[in-house]
Each structure stands twice: as structure tokens, then as C-alpha cells.
């Protein structure tokens, strides 16, 4: 028995003094260098509410791009907001044509595995026609090479017919 | 904004940092904080039983799977039943903790405060899970789901900066070379290295223009600072007369929309850190800094990625927009230059245990102003002031603090 009693035991080992350079007279923590590591598994699933933004995602499923317009100051936010932070007025939904201009983009040759995207992966910031602020999403179908992507090029919202893990993935950008 | 009580001043009595490393398997956040606090107490010549208040600085509850961790740090160092408060602002958390000490002491809520910060940066979970945790610090519905992650966000900003001003990849690389080199003279640093621009340019491309060596690493570690009024220090600090007097003379904070996309378009759009400009102006005004390049002797700049440091030079007022790359080439920010930056090694060379980072910047500026730094990284004192810039998100939270030596 002994350590075998611990079902999730991974290892017991002796750690070095990481600040030996600071301790010329010896390790002050010498009594505490025997270290145990155990495995601790946690698994969560959230029942996530998309709240007052939900209509955006519902309309994406209808292949429509909607955002919000402030009825007071007239500002159209690229990413919808129920409350206009510029004037604290409650906004209204407004459909946009889904066309726009590429303001900046980044090409990633390495992405964390959780992202489930193909490499190279292109993240784009787009000034949508009819909006006053930008919108961020992936740029796809730009051709054989990322060299085809140019700052200022015309892009459009495209919709997928495939099943997706999150409603945001119902859309992406493509060259117009 | 006006500081009403000019008689009541806030002094930096001492500081401590633990070793920063990729994975400190010898302990956990609470152990590293103990190390940093012991050093800060010794450095300041104070006793914990005399210190009246503490501030906790850490960012993520996920990495250490411990909510309310501040309560543990606070009781570990014998501060109960005295008051504690936690601050949080992503990568800017440590800078906010320094600012918090100023506010609490200035307001008279206490005469002395210890701040401590740490982060367990996720070597306990697979790298992929750590990346997911960090991604949660951007908007989870609108950015994370489009597979946004921090390098890619910053790259969007840098590509726009390069397009507008002609900033070059090699200029970014110079930041990496400088910060890794400065770290060689900091024994507590995570990533000291003697490298060349070519080494950075040839390292693995992650997201254009960022290569592997343009990024800081996730570090484990902790840092602590002790602040007090003069009256308190005279009574309780054995080192008050022995060490140079360092005052916290300026503190500023600015913010911006969490999502880059929401920032006022086209100016500043995604080109600049608006919150940093606002925070720096506030701090400089309080500290009497008119020309930061001349009125400061050293500056710890938030360099999560090389380009962030370069753009920050512009937003901190060291130069005009678009000029930072050229000044970097001239060596203005190297040790021996006009305004040496990240003498500690910064996030890239020293390390980035998020909640500790801003506090560690303060410890470095304290060491520099007392002329206690390693001779190879010690700056020359002229203005006798040093600054630090702590920054969260893509400039979502920015805290700028100024220390000044009073001889
Ligand atoms: Zn409005």
C-alpha cells in the first residue's frame, strides 16, 4: 500500500532550489523539496445564453447579416450592441448588405489545436458597408495563395450550409 | 482630476520577486508569493505585523482552479484579520495594484500597504487548454468563436501599423534581441538569451509578422511591493534612512473597447493603444513629466509581443506615431541609450506571470532608481525618475506608474 493507495498519483519527485544563486548558505526551503503531483480531471458543459445578441445568430441561419443602429445618434455598430455606448440609447436591429472592405488581416501558420481551423488561417477585420465600426471574422476562399489577399480589397459575408459548433461559424468572409 | 492632499505622499519602501520560470514544480502561487513577500519585507526593513492593508493581483481563476486565491495569499503571510482587496485587469493587473496602493494610502484608508501578485501560467494543463484559457480573455461570443487568439489580434494591429508607417519586421526583432539580452543580467529571469536579429527573423513563423521569438512566454512566478507614507516609514521601516527614498509620484489608467473591432474607426482604429495614451498623460501630469524621453531614466514597457513594445513607445509619448522603429534602430532604448526600456528583460526576457508582471516592473524601477541593479543593466540616473506600463488585452486596460528618487 502506501503511495499506491492514491488512485490519481502521477509522480513523487525532488525539486531543485530554483534560486540557488540567492542562497549561498544553502536552500532555506530544503525541508519542502519533496513534491507530489496528482491528476485532477474537471469536465464542464455550459448552457450558454446568447442573450440580446441572439437575433444576430438567428438571422445568420437565415443567411442575413443584421446589426444594430442607434436611433438617437445614428451610429451603426459592426458588431451589434443592444445599448449604444456613445449615447446610452437602446438600439434597433438593421440589416446590412454584407459587403465591405478589408481593413487588416493576419495570416497564422500555427494555431492552437482547440481552434479547429485549417492552416494558414486568416483573421480579417472588415469595415462593412453601412456600419461605422469594424467586424472580425475568418477570411476564406481567397484562392491558392495568401498573396492574393490585399489590404483594402472588397469582401463579402458568405454563409455555410454545413453543421457548425457555434452559430458564429454560420458565416465567414470571402473576396467579393 | 486633482490630487488634493499634496502633503500626504506615497513612498515605495521595498520590493521582491521570485524566480520566474516556465514551470515552478517546486510549489504553487502561494509559495512563490511567500518568496516575493519575504524579499520585499527584508528589502524594506518592515514587519508584516505593522503593515495595515494588502492588495491581491492575479488574473486567471482557471489556471490555478482556485477562486478567491487572494484570501489564501493574504492569510499565508499573516495579514489576517487586516483588510485585503483584489484588483484585476488582465495583463495590466499588476500596474493596477500599484495604482490601488496609491489610492488607498492617499485616501487615508491606510498608511501602509503590501501588494502581491502571481500567476500559475498553465503548465499544469496541456498547452492547448492553456491557449483556450487565455483566449477567454477576449470576447467569448464574438472573437473566440471566430478562432481569434492573441497573437492574431496583435498581428492585425501590427500589419495595419506596418502598412501606414512602413514599420519593419526587423525593427520588431530588435526588441526581442534587446529584451532577451537585458535578461542575461537578471538572475530571476525566465528567458535570458544572446541572440541576433537573424535568429528572430529565422524563428518559426506563427502569425505574420510575429515569429516565435517575437512573443513572450508563459511564466510561473510572483512579485511584491510595499508602500507607505513617510510618517509610517519613519516609524516602521528599519531601512528608511539607509536606502535612497523612492516616491510613487504619478499613476494613470486608460481603457479601450474589449474588441478591436469596436474601437473608434478610423482614428485611432486598430493602429494605437488609446487607453495607454490616456493613462500616460494622466501619470505624466501628476509626476511633472513633460518630455518622457528626457524626464525619465528608465521605463518598463509591456512587451507581450515585440510590436506591442514598439507601438507603446509612440503611445507613451517617447516619439511621434510611426517613429518608434527608427529610434529603436538608433539604440535609443538600449542600455546606455537615451531611455533604456525593459532593463529587467521585460515580459519577453524576464517573463510574464501575468498578475506578477506589473509589480515586477515596479521592483525593477525601484532597483534602478536605487542603483542596485546588476552593473550591466544599471542605467545612469539623470532625471531620477522611472516609468512602467502595464497592459491587458489588446490595450483594453493600461496602467502607467511613475517612481521618482528623492535625495
Ligand atoms: Zn448612440
Amino acid at each position: 500500500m502506501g503511495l499506491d493507495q492514491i488512485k490519481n498519483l502521477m509522480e513523487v519527485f525532488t525539486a531543485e532550489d530554483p534560486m540557488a544563486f540567492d542562497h549561498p548558505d544553502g536552500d532555506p526551503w530544503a525541508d519542502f523539496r519533496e513534491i507530489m503531483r496528482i491528476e485532477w480531471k474537471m469536465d464542464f458543459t455550459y448552457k450558454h445564453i446568447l442573450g440580446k445578441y441572439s437575433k444576430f445568430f438567428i438571422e445568420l441561419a437565415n443567411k442575413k447579416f443584421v446589426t444594430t443602429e442607434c436611433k438617437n445618434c445614428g451610429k451603426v455598430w459592426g458588431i451589434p450592441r443592444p445599448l449604444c455606448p456613445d449615447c446610452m440609447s437602446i438600439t434597433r436591429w438593421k440589416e446590412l448588405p454584407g459587403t465591405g472592405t478589408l481593413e487588416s488581416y493576419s495570416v497564422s501558420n500555427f494555431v492552437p489545436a482547440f481552434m479547429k481551423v485549417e492552416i494558414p488561417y486568416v483573421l480579417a477585420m472588415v469595415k462593412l458597408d453601412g456600419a461605422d465600426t469594424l467586424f472580425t471574422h475568418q477570411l476564406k476562399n481567397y484562392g491558392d495563395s495568401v498573396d492574393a489577399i490585399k489590404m483594402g480589397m472588397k469582401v463579402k459575408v458568405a454563409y455555410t450550409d454545413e453543421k457548425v459548433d457555434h452559430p458564429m461559424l454560420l458565416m465567414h468572409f470571402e473576396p467579393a | 482630476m486633482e490630487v488634493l492632499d499634496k502633503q500626504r505622499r506615497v513612498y515605495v519602501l521595498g520590493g521582491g520577486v521570485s524566480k520566474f520560470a516556465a514551470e515552478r514544480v517546486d510549489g504553487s502561487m502561494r509559495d512563490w508569493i511567500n518568496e516575493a513577500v519575504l524579499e520585499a519585507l527584508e528589502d524594506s526593513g518592515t514587519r508584516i505585523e505593522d503593515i495595515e492593508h494588502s492588495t491581491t493581483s492575479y488574473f486567471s481563476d482557471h489556471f490555478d482552479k482556485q477562486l478567491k486565491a487572494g484570501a489564501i495569499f493574504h492569510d499565508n503571510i499573516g495579514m489576517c484579520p487586516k483588510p485585503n482587496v483584489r484588483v484585476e485587469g488582465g495583463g495590466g493587473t499588476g500596474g493596477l495594484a500599484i495604482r490601488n496602493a496609491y489610492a488607498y494610502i492617499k485616501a487615508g484608508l491606510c498608511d501602509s500597504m503590501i501588494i502581491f501578485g502571481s500567476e500559475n501560467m498553465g503548465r499544469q494543463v496541456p498547452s492547448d487548454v492553456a491557449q483556450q484559457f487565455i483566449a477567454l480573455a477576449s470576447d467569448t461570443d464574438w472573437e473566440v468563436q471566430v478562432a481569434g487568439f492573441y497573437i492574431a489580434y496583435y498581428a492585425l494591429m501590427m500589419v495595419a501599423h506596418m502598412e501606414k508607417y512602413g514599420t519593419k519586421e526587423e525593427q520588431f526583432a530588435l526588441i526581442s534581441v534587446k529584451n532577451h539580452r537585458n535578461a542575461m543580467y537578471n538572475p530571476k529571469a525566465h528567458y535570458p538569451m544572446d541572440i541576433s536579429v537573424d535568429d528572430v527573423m529565422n524563428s518559426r513563423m506563427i502569425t505574420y509578422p510575429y515569429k516565435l521569438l517575437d512573443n513572450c512566454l508563459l511564466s510561473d512566478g510572483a512579485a511584491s511591493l510595499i508602500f507607505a507614507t513617510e510618517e509610517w516609514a519613519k516609524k516602521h521601516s528599519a531601512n528608511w534612512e539607509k536606502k535612497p527614498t523612492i516616491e510613487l509620484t504619478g499613476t494613470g489608467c486608460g481603457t479601450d473597447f474589449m474588441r478591436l473591432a469596436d474601437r473608434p474607426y478610423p482614428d485611432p482604429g486598430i493602429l494605437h493603444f488609446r487607453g495607454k495614451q490616456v493613462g500616460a498623460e494622466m501619470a505624466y501630469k501628476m509626476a511633472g513629466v513633460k518630455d518622457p524621453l528626457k524626464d525619465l531614466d528608465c521605463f518598463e514597457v509591456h512587451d507581450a509581443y515585440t510590436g506591442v513594445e514598439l507601438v507603446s513607445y509612440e503611445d507613451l509619448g517617447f516619439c511621434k506615431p510611426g517613429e518608434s522603429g527608427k529610434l529603436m534602430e538608433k539604440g535609443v532604448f538600449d542600455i546606455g541609450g537615451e531611455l533604456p526600456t525593459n532593463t529587467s528583460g521585460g515580459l519577453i526576457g524576464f517573463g510574464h506571470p501575468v498578475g506578477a508582471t506589473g509589480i515586477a516592473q515596479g521592483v525593477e524601477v525601484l532597483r534602478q532608481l536605487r542603483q542596485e541593479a546588476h552593473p550591466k543593466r544599471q542605467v545612469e540616473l539623470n532625471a531620477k525618475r522611472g516609468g512602467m506600463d502595464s497592459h491587458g488585452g489588446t490595450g483594453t486596460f493600461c496602467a502607467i506608474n511613475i517612481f521618482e528618487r528623492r535625495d
Side-chain angles (χ1 to χ4, degrees):
Chain A
M1 296 302 273
L3 287 173
D4 294 346
Q5 288 175 270
I6 305 165
K7 283 191 201 166
N8 57 351
L9 182 71
M10 294 181 75
E11 57 179 331
V12 171
F13 61 95
T14 304
E16 283 177 24
D17 176 5
M19 291 203 291
F21 54 86
D22 244 10
H23 306 135
D25 303 325
D27 180 3
W29 305 95
D31 266 13
F32 299 93
R33 295 298 184 205
E34 205 176 5
I35 307 291
M36 178 185 286
R37 194 198 279 271
I38 59 168
E39 188 176 68
W40 180 348
K41 186 172 164 50
M42 282 201 243
D43 199 358
F44 305 114
T45 302
Y46 288 93
K47 291 188 275 183
H48 182 58
I49 287 279
L50 289 161
K52 289 191 165 56
Y53 308 90
S54 297
K55 185 179 175 68
F56 174 85
F57 300 105
I58 294 164
E59 293 303 332
L60 279 188
N62 295 325
K63 298 188 171 23
K64 278 186 191 160
F65 188 98
V66 298
T67 188
T68 56
E69 180 177 35
C70 176
K71 285 293 160 200
N72 184 46
C73 73
K75 185 157 176 170
V76 178
W77 292 84
I79 301 175
R81 289 177 174 260
L83 182 66
C84 174
D86 278 9
C87 69
M88 296 298 280
S89 299
I90 296 169
T91 60
R92 295 285 172 80
W93 289 103
K94 178 190 173 100
E95 187 178 348
L96 295 185
T99 53
T101 310
L102 184 66
E103 288 301 323
S104 190
Y105 66 99
S106 67
V107 180
S108 295
N109 297 340
F110 164 84
V111 294
F114 77 90
M115 289 177 23
K116 296 183 199 162
V117 291
E118 280 178 33
I119 300 167
Y121 146 77
V122 181
L123 188 63
M125 297 209 73
V126 172
K127 167 75 169 51
L128 286 161
D129 296 332
D132 295 306
T133 58
L134 305 180
F135 196 92
T136 314
H137 215 303
Q138 293 175 66
L139 181 71
K140 294 183 182 175
N141 300 329
Y142 47 78
D144 295 335
S145 164
V146 293
D147 295 339
I149 306 169
K150 303 284 177 215
M151 296 281 252
M153 71 190 267
K154 294 288 171 200
V155 296
K156 63 174 189 213
V157 176
Y159 303 92
T160 182
D161 290 319
E162 285 168 26
K163 296 248 182 200
V164 295
D165 289 334
H166 186 285
M168 190 67 173
L169 299 177
L170 290 166
M171 70 163 278
H172 58 265
F173 289 117
E174 284 181 7
Chain B
M1 179 200 69
E2 192 187 355
V3 176
L4 294 173
D5 188 351
K6 296 209 166 52
Q7 297 307 310
R8 192 174 172 82
R9 292 164 176 272
V10 180
Y11 294 91
V12 196
L13 303 191
V17 281
S18 78
K19 173 79 177 126
F20 286 5
E23 186 180 15
R24 289 278 312 264
V25 291
D26 60 300
S28 61
M29 283 165 79
R30 56 190 81 176
D31 301 310
W32 313 326
I33 282 185
N34 289 346
E35 281 172 19
V37 165
L38 284 175
E39 187 179 300
L41 289 168
E42 195 188 334
D43 186 45
S44 59
T46 58
R47 297 182 309 168
I48 202 76
E49 54 263 44
D50 296 324
I51 297 174
E52 300 157 325
H53 205 306
S54 76
T55 296
T56 302
S57 166
Y58 75 99
F59 146 68
S60 165
D61 292 308
H62 294 75
F63 282 122
D64 211 52
K65 59 218 167 311
Q66 174 64 63
L67 303 187
K68 224 153 59 57
I72 298 174
F73 307 149
H74 183 79
D75 79 39
N76 264 321
I77 61 165
M79 279 296 285
C80 293
K82 291 177 280 190
N84 166 268
V85 64
R86 176 188 177 187
V87 294
E88 196 282 308
T93 303
L96 292 174
I98 294 174
R99 183 173 161 80
N100 197 57
Y102 184 90
Y104 271 62
I105 294 174
K106 205 77 181 172
L109 288 172
C110 54
D111 294 325
S112 55
M113 179 180 277
I114 184 165
I115 67 172
F116 41 73
S118 183
E119 211 74 47
N120 161 2
M121 280 315 281
R123 289 326 201 265
Q124 295 185 14
V125 290
S127 157
D128 189 45
V129 176
Q131 291 292 341
Q132 276 192 65
F133 287 168
I134 293 170
L136 294 178
S138 56
D139 190 307
T140 49
D141 279 330
W142 298 93
E143 294 180 311
V144 177
Q145 302 306 334
V146 302
F149 65 119
Y150 265 94
I151 300 173
Y153 301 139
Y154 275 119
L156 285 166
M157 298 186 80
M158 295 311 135
V159 166
H161 198 273
M162 293 165 86
E163 175 88 3
K164 171 146 187 193
Y165 300 115
T167 316
K168 295 197 282 267
E169 282 176 79
E170 290 81 359
Q171 294 169 336
F172 296 144
L174 281 169
I175 299 276
S176 174
V177 172
K178 168 179 72 71
N179 294 353
H180 284 295
R181 181 178 62 224
N182 290 352
M184 289 169 67
Y185 310 107
N186 176 359
K188 303 227 174 128
H190 173 176
Y191 209 10
M193 225 171 15
D194 183 14
I195 52 168
S196 66
V197 167
D198 282 347
D199 292 330
V200 183
M201 295 296 290
N202 294 330
S203 63
R204 184 171 59 139
M205 179 65 77
I206 303 205
T207 304
Y208 179 83
Y210 286 146
K211 276 78 62 184
L212 189 65
L213 289 174
D214 282 299
N215 310 320
C216 74
L217 298 175
L218 305 175
S219 317
D220 285 349
S224 173
L225 278 167
I226 295 169
F227 299 90
T229 61
E230 183 173 0
E231 205 178 338
W232 189 94
K234 278 181 173 161
K235 209 165 155 190
H236 300 290
S237 162
N239 294 343
W240 177 250
E241 300 290 343
K242 290 182 204 157
K243 296 192 179 188
T245 304
I246 311 296
E247 184 182 348
L248 169 52
T249 55
T251 178
C253 175
T255 60
D256 214 332
F257 284 95
M258 175 88 154
R259 302 183 296 241
L260 283 174
D262 295 334
R263 298 182 185 178
Y265 175 85
D267 187 32
I270 56 173
L271 278 168
H272 286 281
F273 302 119
R274 182 171 59 147
K276 191 161 301 196
Q277 296 166 351
V278 167
E281 198 183 325
M282 250 179 230
Y284 293 162
K285 194 176 168 214
M286 282 174 77
V289 171
K290 298 206 167 57
D291 176 357
L293 208 56
K294 298 202 162 45
D295 296 345
L296 293 154
D297 293 329
C298 61
F299 215 111
E300 292 290 300
V301 180
H302 187 92
D303 57 325
Y305 306 92
T306 51
V308 177
E309 178 167 329
L310 216 53
V311 175
S312 293
Y313 291 166
E314 299 168 10
D315 297 327
L316 291 167
F318 303 167
C319 59
K320 293 201 185 83
E323 287 181 353
S324 59
K326 289 201 181 71
L327 291 192
M328 189 64 212
E329 283 174 350
K330 285 185 190 159
V332 169
F333 305 107
D334 292 341
I335 288 166
E338 201 171 348
L339 180 58
T341 52
N342 286 327
T343 54
S344 69
L347 283 61
I348 288 174
F350 191 0
H352 188 25
V354 178
T357 302
I359 300 174
Q361 291 180 330
V363 176
E364 174 67 9
V365 173
L366 172 70
R367 300 268 182 269
Q368 288 287 354
L369 293 178
R370 284 187 186 159
Q371 293 173 295
E372 293 173 345
H374 186 288
K376 292 233 177 176
R377 72 174 216 273
Q378 177 64 50
V379 301
E380 203 181 298
L381 295 190
N382 297 304
K384 297 182 178 171
R385 286 194 198 93
M388 64 213 79
D389 149 47
S390 191
H391 153 147
T394 44
T396 315
F397 286 99
C398 297
I400 287 87
N401 296 299
I402 309 289
F403 291 176
E404 183 166 348
R405 175 168 169 159
R406 301 284 189 205
D407 282 327

